[in-house]
Amino acid sequence: MKIVFIGSVEIGLKCLRQVVRDKWKVAAVFTLAKKYARTTSGYVDFSPFAKKAGIKVFKIKNVNDPVNVGRIRKINPDLIIICGCQSLVSKEILDIPGSGTVGFHSSLLPKYRGRAPVNWAIIKGETKTGITMFYCCPDPDAGDIIAQKSFPIMITDTCRTVYGKSAGAACELLHGYLSKIKDGTVKRKKNISNRYPLWPKRRPEDGRIDWSKDSLVIHNWIRALTRPYPGAFTYSGEKKYFIWRSRFSRQKRCGPGRPGEIIKVTGRSDNRSFLVKTGKGDIWISDVIYENGRAVQDLSVGSKFS
């Protein structure tokens, strides 16, 4: 079975490694060129691994460009695997492989269809999510389901650790189902895609923290948007701060204060943690930096975020 692989982010590279490890024939990899990846969170250069594995690499801007469609048609793959592509793949490409085009989505479809499924799941306080392997069709995340694997979202998980779980689960599904796809023995499950909304893309400017919210809501917000994503941010006066880490406890530690007010500071000057009053309870935050990336120096008890 001759395979074309399309992807540009970490989970995609892990899946490509699994396909090669299982000794499937990957004829070519189409991946986003680094110069076009500025806004792609979690971008990884596939070239070093692919070249070492003897796989032809096409560094592209848009897989749907006619020249790339022509390249794929010339390769004439039996199967296309998409994992971590930043745009919907055109029907013109989907129609090329005889065994279909297989994609992955980091949710238990049809739930959390659309963009940023892991981020949205954490923001919404989900305690379970998963990965879906499905046949691609022109509509986003709407094709027949091949298989799914679920796993928990722990209170200490971040978007990075949940995507790590997704990658591991995706590799397991590839290992277990590529032979069935080749043999045509997959039992398809209808994807009732209109049951849930199509979630929108998140933008960097969407990350501002609302300190009037419950402390658990704020904790979910911070850990959903942390690295490799653009990050949760806040202001104190005219200065903008990014907050990359938080710690939630149901124990209520603080007394009077206004939402966003720092009520306790611990740690060294270059590695401080701040206890901040919220609309309900409080939250420890750390790895706080200025907008320019420098560690903070001016925050103290009584400082207030807005």
Side-chain angles (χ1 to χ4, degrees):
M1 186 165 63
K2 188 172 19 173
I3 296 170
V4 161
F5 197 101
I6 302 172
S8 304
V9 298
E10 190 172 355
I11 185 174
L13 180 57
K14 290 181 178 179
C15 286
L16 176 61
R17 289 179 184 274
Q18 182 66 51
V19 172
V20 171
R21 190 159 51 241
D22 287 341
K23 302 189 183 306
W24 293 99
K25 181 183 178 182
V26 181
V29 167
F30 288 76
T31 189
L32 192 65
K34 190 174 183 178
K35 63 182 177 180
Y36 303 124
R38 185 177 57 85
T39 60
T40 302
S41 298
Y43 171 79
V44 175
D45 185 358
F46 283 33
S47 301
F49 172 77
K51 289 177 179 177
K52 188 175 180 180
I55 302 169
K56 188 172 183 61
V57 179
F58 295 98
K59 294 184 177 183
I60 61 173
K61 181 178 181 180
N62 184 346
V63 71
N64 297 313
D65 285 344
V67 65
N68 293 321
V69 175
R71 286 166 172 166
I72 296 173
R73 187 172 282 121
K74 185 176 180 180
I75 294 167
N76 192 29
D78 301 296
L79 179 73
I80 294 175
I81 299 174
I82 303 172
C83 191
C85 183
Q86 301 309 299
S87 60
L88 288 175
V89 175
S90 67
K91 186 175 184 300
E92 194 174 6
I93 292 175
L94 298 180
D95 287 343
I96 293 172
S99 293
T101 298
V102 171
F104 288 89
H105 192 69
S106 292
S107 79
L108 298 173
L109 291 176
K111 200 170 185 182
Y112 290 103
R113 297 170 55 233
R115 305 298 290 270
V118 166
N119 311 82
W120 282 118
I122 296 173
I123 287 170
K124 297 297 180 182
E126 297 286 359
T127 58
K128 185 180 83 167
T129 188
I131 190 86
T132 300
M133 184 180 192
F134 65 103
Y135 284 107
C136 296
C137 67
D139 293 329
D141 309 324
D144 288 349
I145 293 169
I146 297 168
Q148 296 179 308
K149 188 171 181 63
S150 64
F151 49 80
I153 300 176
M154 310 302 290
I155 194 68
T156 53
D157 272 323
T158 68
C159 53
R160 182 182 289 278
T161 62
V162 174
Y163 267 115
K165 294 178 182 181
S166 291
C171 289
E172 289 183 39
L173 294 181
L174 279 167
H175 181 70
Y177 282 88
L178 277 186
S179 293
K180 294 180 181 180
I181 291 169
K182 177 179 181 292
D183 297 339
T185 57
V186 169
K187 295 180 180 179
R188 296 175 178 239
K189 178 183 175 183
K190 188 69 176 175
N191 183 358
I192 310 173
S193 57
N194 61 358
R195 183 177 293 177
Y196 292 97
L198 191 68
W199 288 93
K201 179 180 180 180
R202 292 197 58 80
R203 304 167 300 170
E205 57 267 33
D206 294 333
R208 187 168 185 171
I209 298 167
D210 182 353
W211 296 100
S212 69
K213 300 288 187 181
D214 181 285
S215 54
L216 178 57
V217 171
I218 295 172
H219 174 63
N220 290 343
W221 189 262
I222 293 169
R223 66 195 182 112
L225 305 180
T226 192
R227 302 178 182 97
Y229 288 87
F233 65 88
T234 188
Y235 289 88
S236 182
E238 296 295 319
K239 294 181 179 178
K240 185 177 183 180
Y241 302 84
F242 282 88
I243 299 169
W244 297 104
R245 189 177 304 166
S246 60
R247 188 171 77 251
F248 172 76
S249 172
R250 297 192 185 278
Q251 177 186 355
K252 305 306 177 187
R253 295 161 293 243
C254 64
R258 299 168 296 169
E261 184 177 345
I262 297 174
I263 55 176
K264 189 175 181 179
V265 181
T266 63
R268 304 188 310 270
S269 60
D270 61 341
N271 185 25
R272 292 187 292 174
S273 295
F274 305 90
L275 185 62
V276 183
K277 178 76 173 177
T278 67
K280 184 178 180 182
D282 50 61
I283 188 170
W284 280 104
I285 61 172
S286 58
D287 199 357
V288 181
I289 63 173
Y290 295 118
E291 185 176 11
N292 62 12
R294 296 175 56 192
V296 299
Q297 300 292 331
D298 60 341
L299 296 175
S300 60
V301 172
S303 298
K304 187 176 183 301
F305 295 125
S306 61

